[in-house]
Short mmCIF file of all heavy atoms in Angstrom, two decimals:
data_model
loop_
_atom_site.label_atom_id
_atom_site.label_comp_id
_atom_site.label_asym_id
_atom_site.label_seq_id
_atom_site.Cartn_x
_atom_site.Cartn_y
_atom_site.Cartn_z
N MET A 1 10.35 3.19 -14.06
CA MET A 1 11.03 3.38 -12.81
C MET A 1 10.02 3.79 -11.72
O MET A 1 10.02 3.32 -10.67
CB MET A 1 12.17 4.35 -12.93
CG MET A 1 12.85 4.49 -11.61
SD MET A 1 14.52 5.39 -11.87
CE MET A 1 15.45 4.59 -10.69
N TYR A 2 9.26 4.84 -12.00
CA TYR A 2 8.26 5.30 -11.03
C TYR A 2 6.85 4.81 -11.48
O TYR A 2 6.57 4.78 -12.66
CB TYR A 2 8.28 6.81 -11.00
CG TYR A 2 9.54 7.31 -10.37
CD1 TYR A 2 10.48 7.87 -11.31
CD2 TYR A 2 9.69 7.32 -8.99
CE1 TYR A 2 11.67 8.34 -10.74
CE2 TYR A 2 10.98 7.84 -8.53
CZ TYR A 2 11.86 8.31 -9.38
OH TYR A 2 13.04 8.72 -8.86
N GLU A 3 6.05 4.46 -10.45
CA GLU A 3 4.66 4.01 -10.73
C GLU A 3 3.70 5.08 -10.29
O GLU A 3 3.96 5.77 -9.33
CB GLU A 3 4.40 2.79 -10.00
CG GLU A 3 5.16 1.60 -10.54
CD GLU A 3 4.74 0.29 -9.88
OE1 GLU A 3 3.54 0.11 -9.45
OE2 GLU A 3 5.58 -0.59 -9.60
N THR A 4 2.73 5.37 -11.05
CA THR A 4 1.66 6.33 -10.72
C THR A 4 0.72 5.69 -9.77
O THR A 4 0.23 4.59 -10.12
CB THR A 4 1.01 6.84 -11.92
OG1 THR A 4 2.02 7.38 -12.78
CG2 THR A 4 -0.02 7.96 -11.57
N LEU A 5 0.38 6.34 -8.74
CA LEU A 5 -0.69 5.96 -7.78
C LEU A 5 -2.08 6.24 -8.40
O LEU A 5 -2.35 7.35 -8.82
CB LEU A 5 -0.61 6.55 -6.44
CG LEU A 5 0.61 6.28 -5.63
CD1 LEU A 5 0.64 7.02 -4.38
CD2 LEU A 5 0.85 4.73 -5.32
N ASP A 6 -3.06 5.27 -8.19
CA ASP A 6 -4.40 5.68 -8.54
C ASP A 6 -4.96 6.45 -7.33
O ASP A 6 -4.43 6.63 -6.31
CB ASP A 6 -5.34 4.41 -8.95
CG ASP A 6 -5.36 3.48 -7.77
OD1 ASP A 6 -5.25 3.86 -6.56
OD2 ASP A 6 -5.61 2.34 -7.99
N ASP A 7 -6.23 7.06 -7.53
CA ASP A 7 -6.81 7.87 -6.65
C ASP A 7 -6.95 7.23 -5.33
O ASP A 7 -6.78 7.76 -4.19
CB ASP A 7 -8.16 8.40 -7.14
CG ASP A 7 -7.95 9.40 -8.24
OD1 ASP A 7 -6.89 9.98 -8.45
OD2 ASP A 7 -9.05 9.79 -8.91
N THR A 8 -7.51 5.95 -5.43
CA THR A 8 -7.70 5.19 -4.07
C THR A 8 -6.44 4.99 -3.32
O THR A 8 -6.45 5.13 -2.09
CB THR A 8 -8.46 3.81 -4.48
OG1 THR A 8 -9.65 4.11 -5.14
CG2 THR A 8 -8.74 3.12 -3.16
N ALA A 9 -5.43 4.57 -3.99
CA ALA A 9 -4.09 4.28 -3.32
C ALA A 9 -3.62 5.61 -2.66
O ALA A 9 -3.17 5.61 -1.55
CB ALA A 9 -3.13 3.84 -4.27
N ALA A 10 -3.65 6.73 -3.37
CA ALA A 10 -3.30 7.93 -2.80
C ALA A 10 -4.11 8.32 -1.63
O ALA A 10 -3.49 8.87 -0.61
CB ALA A 10 -3.35 9.03 -3.86
N GLN A 11 -5.36 8.20 -1.66
CA GLN A 11 -6.25 8.56 -0.48
C GLN A 11 -5.88 7.62 0.64
O GLN A 11 -5.93 8.01 1.89
CB GLN A 11 -7.77 8.36 -0.85
CG GLN A 11 -8.21 9.41 -1.85
CD GLN A 11 -9.64 9.11 -2.25
OE1 GLN A 11 -10.26 8.05 -2.00
NE2 GLN A 11 -10.21 10.06 -2.97
N ILE A 12 -5.68 6.37 0.42
CA ILE A 12 -5.33 5.47 1.58
C ILE A 12 -4.03 5.92 2.21
O ILE A 12 -3.97 5.93 3.44
CB ILE A 12 -5.14 3.97 0.93
CG1 ILE A 12 -6.58 3.51 0.65
CG2 ILE A 12 -4.52 3.11 1.95
CD1 ILE A 12 -6.48 2.21 -0.20
N ILE A 13 -3.10 6.27 1.45
CA ILE A 13 -1.74 6.71 2.03
C ILE A 13 -1.95 7.92 2.88
O ILE A 13 -1.45 8.11 3.96
CB ILE A 13 -0.72 6.88 0.89
CG1 ILE A 13 -0.29 5.70 0.25
CG2 ILE A 13 0.55 7.79 1.47
CD1 ILE A 13 0.54 5.79 -0.93
N LEU A 14 -2.74 8.83 2.40
CA LEU A 14 -3.02 10.11 3.17
C LEU A 14 -3.95 9.94 4.27
O LEU A 14 -3.72 10.66 5.36
CB LEU A 14 -3.56 11.17 2.21
CG LEU A 14 -2.60 11.72 1.02
CD1 LEU A 14 -3.42 12.52 0.11
CD2 LEU A 14 -1.43 12.31 1.73
N ALA A 15 -4.72 8.87 4.30
CA ALA A 15 -5.75 8.74 5.35
C ALA A 15 -5.40 7.77 6.40
O ALA A 15 -5.96 7.78 7.48
CB ALA A 15 -7.06 8.22 4.74
N THR A 16 -4.34 7.00 6.16
CA THR A 16 -3.87 5.97 7.13
C THR A 16 -3.15 6.59 8.36
O THR A 16 -2.25 7.32 8.12
CB THR A 16 -3.08 4.84 6.49
OG1 THR A 16 -3.94 4.31 5.34
CG2 THR A 16 -2.77 3.72 7.41
N GLU A 17 -3.52 6.11 9.53
CA GLU A 17 -2.80 6.53 10.73
C GLU A 17 -2.16 5.23 11.29
O GLU A 17 -2.59 4.13 10.90
CB GLU A 17 -3.73 7.13 11.70
CG GLU A 17 -4.33 8.45 11.26
CD GLU A 17 -5.31 9.05 12.18
OE1 GLU A 17 -5.41 8.52 13.38
OE2 GLU A 17 -6.03 10.02 11.76
N SER A 18 -1.11 5.27 12.08
CA SER A 18 -0.45 4.22 12.72
C SER A 18 -1.50 3.29 13.39
O SER A 18 -2.34 3.73 14.20
CB SER A 18 0.55 4.74 13.70
OG SER A 18 1.19 3.54 14.24
N GLY A 19 -1.43 2.00 13.13
CA GLY A 19 -2.32 1.01 13.75
C GLY A 19 -3.61 0.85 13.11
O GLY A 19 -4.42 0.04 13.63
N ASP A 20 -3.99 1.62 12.11
CA ASP A 20 -5.24 1.44 11.44
C ASP A 20 -5.38 0.10 10.78
O ASP A 20 -4.52 -0.46 10.12
CB ASP A 20 -5.42 2.56 10.32
CG ASP A 20 -5.95 3.81 10.88
OD1 ASP A 20 -6.37 3.85 11.99
OD2 ASP A 20 -5.88 4.74 10.09
N SER A 21 -6.69 -0.36 10.83
CA SER A 21 -6.89 -1.56 10.03
C SER A 21 -7.43 -1.18 8.66
O SER A 21 -7.84 -0.01 8.40
CB SER A 21 -7.91 -2.42 10.77
OG SER A 21 -9.24 -1.67 10.78
N ILE A 22 -7.48 -2.13 7.77
CA ILE A 22 -8.16 -1.80 6.33
C ILE A 22 -9.60 -1.47 6.70
O ILE A 22 -10.07 -0.43 5.95
CB ILE A 22 -8.11 -3.15 5.55
CG1 ILE A 22 -6.55 -3.28 5.10
CG2 ILE A 22 -8.94 -2.89 4.21
CD1 ILE A 22 -6.36 -4.61 4.32
N ARG A 23 -10.31 -2.05 7.50
CA ARG A 23 -11.72 -1.71 7.69
C ARG A 23 -11.86 -0.23 8.21
O ARG A 23 -12.64 0.52 7.82
CB ARG A 23 -12.37 -2.66 8.75
CG ARG A 23 -13.80 -2.29 9.07
CD ARG A 23 -14.60 -3.44 9.68
NE ARG A 23 -14.38 -4.72 9.18
CZ ARG A 23 -14.88 -5.24 8.03
NH1 ARG A 23 -15.67 -4.48 7.35
NH2 ARG A 23 -14.66 -6.34 7.61
N ARG A 24 -10.97 0.22 9.18
CA ARG A 24 -10.98 1.63 9.66
C ARG A 24 -10.67 2.58 8.58
O ARG A 24 -11.40 3.65 8.49
CB ARG A 24 -10.02 1.70 10.81
CG ARG A 24 -10.01 3.12 11.38
CD ARG A 24 -11.29 3.47 12.08
NE ARG A 24 -11.32 4.82 12.35
CZ ARG A 24 -12.33 5.71 12.04
NH1 ARG A 24 -13.33 5.30 11.31
NH2 ARG A 24 -12.23 6.93 12.36
N VAL A 25 -9.72 2.20 7.78
CA VAL A 25 -9.35 3.18 6.62
C VAL A 25 -10.59 3.25 5.70
O VAL A 25 -10.97 4.37 5.24
CB VAL A 25 -8.10 2.79 5.94
CG1 VAL A 25 -7.89 3.63 4.64
CG2 VAL A 25 -6.95 2.81 6.83
N ALA A 26 -11.17 2.09 5.37
CA ALA A 26 -12.31 2.11 4.41
C ALA A 26 -13.53 2.94 5.02
O ALA A 26 -14.13 3.77 4.26
CB ALA A 26 -12.88 0.78 4.28
N GLN A 27 -13.76 2.93 6.42
CA GLN A 27 -14.81 3.76 6.98
C GLN A 27 -14.47 5.16 6.93
O GLN A 27 -15.28 5.98 6.57
CB GLN A 27 -15.01 3.21 8.38
CG GLN A 27 -15.66 1.88 8.60
CD GLN A 27 -15.49 1.41 10.07
OE1 GLN A 27 -14.85 1.94 10.89
NE2 GLN A 27 -16.36 0.35 10.31
N ARG A 28 -13.12 5.41 7.11
CA ARG A 28 -12.73 6.86 7.11
C ARG A 28 -12.88 7.47 5.72
O ARG A 28 -13.37 8.64 5.61
CB ARG A 28 -11.33 6.98 7.58
CG ARG A 28 -10.81 8.43 7.76
CD ARG A 28 -9.39 8.38 8.37
NE ARG A 28 -9.40 7.99 9.65
CZ ARG A 28 -8.51 7.01 10.09
NH1 ARG A 28 -7.54 6.62 9.30
NH2 ARG A 28 -8.42 6.69 11.29
N LEU A 29 -12.64 6.63 4.72
CA LEU A 29 -12.82 7.19 3.32
C LEU A 29 -14.13 6.91 2.77
O LEU A 29 -14.41 7.43 1.59
CB LEU A 29 -11.76 6.43 2.44
CG LEU A 29 -10.22 6.68 2.80
CD1 LEU A 29 -9.47 5.81 1.93
CD2 LEU A 29 -9.92 8.12 2.63
N HIS A 30 -15.06 6.37 3.51
CA HIS A 30 -16.42 6.05 3.02
C HIS A 30 -16.28 5.29 1.62
O HIS A 30 -16.95 5.58 0.61
CB HIS A 30 -17.26 7.30 2.71
CG HIS A 30 -17.30 8.18 3.97
ND1 HIS A 30 -18.11 7.72 5.08
CD2 HIS A 30 -16.70 9.24 4.30
CE1 HIS A 30 -17.90 8.63 6.05
NE2 HIS A 30 -17.11 9.57 5.65
N THR A 31 -15.32 4.30 1.64
CA THR A 31 -15.05 3.51 0.49
C THR A 31 -15.31 1.90 0.84
O THR A 31 -15.09 1.62 1.99
CB THR A 31 -13.57 3.73 0.07
OG1 THR A 31 -13.42 5.11 -0.07
CG2 THR A 31 -13.27 2.93 -1.19
N PRO A 32 -15.83 1.13 -0.06
CA PRO A 32 -16.03 -0.21 0.32
C PRO A 32 -14.75 -0.95 0.72
O PRO A 32 -13.66 -0.64 0.20
CB PRO A 32 -16.55 -0.89 -1.06
CG PRO A 32 -17.10 0.27 -1.80
CD PRO A 32 -16.36 1.51 -1.38
N TYR A 33 -14.81 -1.81 1.72
CA TYR A 33 -13.68 -2.53 2.29
C TYR A 33 -12.95 -3.24 1.13
O TYR A 33 -11.72 -3.04 1.16
CB TYR A 33 -14.29 -3.58 3.22
CG TYR A 33 -13.19 -4.47 3.67
CD1 TYR A 33 -12.42 -4.08 4.83
CD2 TYR A 33 -12.99 -5.69 3.16
CE1 TYR A 33 -11.38 -5.02 5.27
CE2 TYR A 33 -11.95 -6.54 3.51
CZ TYR A 33 -11.26 -6.21 4.65
OH TYR A 33 -10.22 -7.01 5.10
N GLU A 34 -13.59 -3.89 0.27
CA GLU A 34 -12.96 -4.67 -0.88
C GLU A 34 -12.12 -3.72 -1.69
O GLU A 34 -10.98 -4.10 -2.09
CB GLU A 34 -13.93 -5.46 -1.64
CG GLU A 34 -13.25 -6.45 -2.59
CD GLU A 34 -12.43 -7.50 -1.97
OE1 GLU A 34 -12.49 -7.75 -0.78
OE2 GLU A 34 -11.54 -8.05 -2.70
N THR A 35 -12.58 -2.56 -2.01
CA THR A 35 -11.90 -1.61 -2.78
C THR A 35 -10.58 -1.22 -2.14
O THR A 35 -9.50 -1.13 -2.76
CB THR A 35 -12.77 -0.38 -3.13
OG1 THR A 35 -13.91 -0.81 -3.82
CG2 THR A 35 -11.98 0.57 -3.97
N VAL A 36 -10.64 -0.93 -0.85
CA VAL A 36 -9.50 -0.59 -0.01
C VAL A 36 -8.57 -1.69 0.09
O VAL A 36 -7.29 -1.62 -0.08
CB VAL A 36 -9.88 -0.04 1.40
CG1 VAL A 36 -8.66 0.26 2.18
CG2 VAL A 36 -10.71 1.23 1.18
N ARG A 37 -9.06 -2.90 0.35
CA ARG A 37 -8.14 -4.04 0.51
C ARG A 37 -7.38 -4.35 -0.74
O ARG A 37 -6.20 -4.65 -0.77
CB ARG A 37 -8.97 -5.36 0.86
CG ARG A 37 -8.16 -6.47 1.20
CD ARG A 37 -8.92 -7.85 1.31
NE ARG A 37 -9.48 -8.13 -0.01
CZ ARG A 37 -8.89 -8.84 -1.05
NH1 ARG A 37 -7.59 -9.03 -0.88
NH2 ARG A 37 -9.44 -9.10 -2.11
N GLN A 38 -8.00 -4.24 -1.87
CA GLN A 38 -7.36 -4.45 -3.17
C GLN A 38 -6.28 -3.47 -3.34
O GLN A 38 -5.15 -3.78 -3.89
CB GLN A 38 -8.33 -4.52 -4.39
CG GLN A 38 -9.16 -5.69 -4.37
CD GLN A 38 -10.34 -5.67 -5.49
OE1 GLN A 38 -10.42 -4.65 -6.22
NE2 GLN A 38 -11.07 -6.75 -5.48
N ALA A 39 -6.59 -2.12 -3.13
CA ALA A 39 -5.58 -1.05 -3.27
C ALA A 39 -4.32 -1.31 -2.35
O ALA A 39 -3.17 -1.10 -2.75
CB ALA A 39 -6.17 0.25 -3.04
N VAL A 40 -4.62 -1.71 -1.02
CA VAL A 40 -3.56 -2.00 -0.16
C VAL A 40 -2.69 -3.19 -0.68
O VAL A 40 -1.40 -3.09 -0.65
CB VAL A 40 -4.12 -2.37 1.26
CG1 VAL A 40 -3.01 -2.93 2.20
CG2 VAL A 40 -4.71 -1.10 1.84
N ASN A 41 -3.33 -4.16 -1.22
CA ASN A 41 -2.52 -5.27 -1.76
C ASN A 41 -1.64 -4.76 -2.89
O ASN A 41 -0.50 -5.22 -2.97
CB ASN A 41 -3.44 -6.39 -2.21
CG ASN A 41 -4.04 -7.16 -1.18
OD1 ASN A 41 -3.60 -7.17 -0.03
ND2 ASN A 41 -5.13 -7.89 -1.42
N ARG A 42 -2.20 -3.83 -3.83
CA ARG A 42 -1.28 -3.37 -4.86
C ARG A 42 -0.22 -2.51 -4.31
O ARG A 42 0.97 -2.54 -4.90
CB ARG A 42 -2.22 -2.53 -5.71
CG ARG A 42 -3.07 -3.30 -6.78
CD ARG A 42 -3.72 -2.42 -7.85
NE ARG A 42 -4.47 -1.15 -7.40
CZ ARG A 42 -5.64 -1.20 -6.93
NH1 ARG A 42 -6.39 -2.32 -6.98
NH2 ARG A 42 -6.20 -0.01 -6.53
N LEU A 43 -0.45 -1.72 -3.23
CA LEU A 43 0.60 -1.00 -2.65
C LEU A 43 1.72 -1.93 -2.10
O LEU A 43 2.76 -1.57 -2.18
CB LEU A 43 0.04 -0.04 -1.64
CG LEU A 43 -0.75 1.15 -2.07
CD1 LEU A 43 -1.56 1.81 -0.95
CD2 LEU A 43 0.19 2.23 -2.73
N GLU A 44 1.21 -2.92 -1.42
CA GLU A 44 2.15 -3.86 -0.81
C GLU A 44 2.96 -4.46 -1.90
O GLU A 44 4.30 -4.65 -1.72
CB GLU A 44 1.55 -4.86 0.09
CG GLU A 44 0.94 -4.35 1.35
CD GLU A 44 0.24 -5.39 2.24
OE1 GLU A 44 -0.23 -6.33 1.69
OE2 GLU A 44 0.11 -5.10 3.39
N ASP A 45 2.35 -4.99 -2.94
CA ASP A 45 3.16 -5.63 -4.03
C ASP A 45 4.12 -4.68 -4.64
O ASP A 45 5.20 -5.02 -4.90
CB ASP A 45 2.11 -6.16 -5.08
CG ASP A 45 1.26 -7.30 -4.64
OD1 ASP A 45 1.66 -7.90 -3.60
OD2 ASP A 45 0.31 -7.65 -5.29
N GLY A 46 3.73 -3.47 -4.80
CA GLY A 46 4.69 -2.45 -5.44
C GLY A 46 5.81 -2.15 -4.58
O GLY A 46 6.91 -1.93 -5.00
N ALA A 47 5.60 -2.11 -3.15
CA ALA A 47 6.57 -1.78 -2.26
C ALA A 47 7.67 -2.95 -2.15
O ALA A 47 8.80 -2.73 -2.04
CB ALA A 47 6.02 -1.55 -0.88
N THR A 48 7.19 -4.18 -2.19
CA THR A 48 8.02 -5.28 -2.08
C THR A 48 8.83 -5.50 -3.29
O THR A 48 10.03 -5.92 -3.39
CB THR A 48 7.32 -6.58 -1.72
OG1 THR A 48 6.33 -6.90 -2.64
CG2 THR A 48 6.75 -6.52 -0.36
N SER A 49 8.14 -5.18 -4.55
CA SER A 49 8.98 -5.37 -5.73
C SER A 49 9.94 -4.19 -5.98
O SER A 49 10.87 -4.36 -6.74
CB SER A 49 8.00 -5.49 -6.95
OG SER A 49 7.42 -4.19 -7.18
N ALA A 50 9.75 -3.15 -5.39
CA ALA A 50 10.66 -1.93 -5.48
C ALA A 50 11.79 -1.95 -4.56
O ALA A 50 12.82 -1.25 -4.65
CB ALA A 50 9.88 -0.62 -5.23
N MET A 51 11.76 -2.88 -3.57
CA MET A 51 12.87 -2.95 -2.60
C MET A 51 14.14 -3.63 -3.30
O MET A 51 13.92 -4.67 -3.99
CB MET A 51 12.40 -3.86 -1.41
CG MET A 51 11.35 -3.16 -0.58
SD MET A 51 10.81 -4.28 0.83
CE MET A 51 12.32 -4.37 1.78
N PRO A 52 15.29 -3.01 -3.04
CA PRO A 52 16.41 -3.54 -3.66
C PRO A 52 16.78 -4.89 -3.04
O PRO A 52 16.64 -5.24 -1.77
CB PRO A 52 17.50 -2.53 -3.37
CG PRO A 52 17.04 -1.76 -2.22
CD PRO A 52 15.55 -1.86 -2.31
N MET A 53 17.24 -5.87 -3.84
CA MET A 53 17.71 -7.16 -3.38
C MET A 53 19.11 -7.16 -2.93
O MET A 53 19.91 -6.43 -3.65
CB MET A 53 17.50 -8.18 -4.45
CG MET A 53 16.07 -8.44 -4.91
SD MET A 53 15.09 -9.37 -3.80
CE MET A 53 15.89 -10.92 -3.87
N ALA A 54 19.52 -7.77 -1.91
CA ALA A 54 20.91 -7.91 -1.54
C ALA A 54 21.70 -8.76 -2.48
O ALA A 54 21.10 -9.82 -2.87
CB ALA A 54 21.07 -8.38 -0.11
N SER A 55 22.77 -8.32 -2.94
CA SER A 55 23.56 -9.16 -3.89
C SER A 55 24.33 -10.22 -3.13
O SER A 55 24.94 -9.96 -2.07
CB SER A 55 24.53 -8.23 -4.63
OG SER A 55 25.50 -9.05 -5.32
N PRO A 56 24.31 -11.36 -3.54
CA PRO A 56 25.08 -12.51 -2.89
C PRO A 56 26.60 -12.33 -3.03
O PRO A 56 27.33 -12.86 -2.29
CB PRO A 56 24.72 -13.73 -3.69
CG PRO A 56 24.20 -13.27 -5.00
CD PRO A 56 23.65 -11.94 -4.80
N TRP A 57 26.91 -11.36 -3.89
CA TRP A 57 28.48 -11.16 -3.93
C TRP A 57 28.91 -9.93 -3.23
O TRP A 57 30.06 -9.55 -3.21
CB TRP A 57 28.80 -10.86 -5.47
CG TRP A 57 28.49 -12.16 -6.28
CD1 TRP A 57 29.26 -13.24 -6.35
CD2 TRP A 57 27.33 -12.44 -6.97
NE1 TRP A 57 28.69 -14.27 -7.12
CE2 TRP A 57 27.52 -13.68 -7.56
CE3 TRP A 57 26.19 -11.80 -7.33
CZ2 TRP A 57 26.60 -14.35 -8.35
CZ3 TRP A 57 25.14 -12.38 -8.17
CH2 TRP A 57 25.45 -13.66 -8.62
N SER A 58 28.02 -9.17 -2.50
CA SER A 58 28.39 -8.08 -1.81
C SER A 58 29.11 -8.48 -0.54
O SER A 58 28.89 -9.52 0.03
CB SER A 58 27.22 -7.06 -1.47
OG SER A 58 26.36 -7.83 -0.59
N THR A 59 30.03 -7.66 -0.14
CA THR A 59 30.72 -7.95 1.20
C THR A 59 30.34 -6.95 2.17
O THR A 59 30.16 -5.81 1.90
CB THR A 59 32.30 -7.94 1.01
OG1 THR A 59 32.55 -6.61 0.52
CG2 THR A 59 32.72 -9.02 -0.14
N SER A 60 30.24 -7.36 3.42
CA SER A 60 29.94 -6.46 4.49
C SER A 60 31.24 -6.23 5.30
O SER A 60 31.99 -7.14 5.45
CB SER A 60 28.77 -7.06 5.38
OG SER A 60 29.14 -8.33 5.87
N ALA A 61 31.33 -5.02 5.77
CA ALA A 61 32.51 -4.69 6.68
C ALA A 61 32.41 -5.07 8.06
O ALA A 61 31.34 -5.19 8.57
CB ALA A 61 32.79 -3.29 6.44
#
């Protein structure tokens, strides 16, 4: 049910400010761009797979 974040993903979450690019976060963390990009992709994939899907049978009021 819960996924554990690796060190890079946790650092990205803590270091990111609104409007930051991957390149800016990589510079702030002194981490290679590709490492940050891959971690961001994993975070995005985890976020989209964790989102609940709307049921086609649900009714809205």
Side-chain angles (χ1 to χ4, degrees):
M1 180 168 212
Y2 293 101
E3 293 183 32
T4 304
L5 296 176
D6 61 24
D7 289 343
T8 303
Q11 288 175 351
I12 289 169
I13 290 170
L14 294 172
T16 303
E17 297 177 10
S18 180
D20 275 350
S21 65
I22 293 174
R23 183 163 312 284
R24 178 65 188 127
V25 173
Q27 290 170 344
R28 188 175 293 132
L29 295 175
H30 305 287
T31 304
Y33 171 86
E34 187 62 19
T35 302
V36 174
R37 187 190 65 78
Q38 289 174 0
V40 168
N41 287 343
R42 286 192 307 272
L43 287 167
E44 287 178 340
D45 289 344
T48 56
S49 65
M51 292 177 64
M53 299 278 299
S55 169
W57 297 279
S58 64
T59 57
S60 58

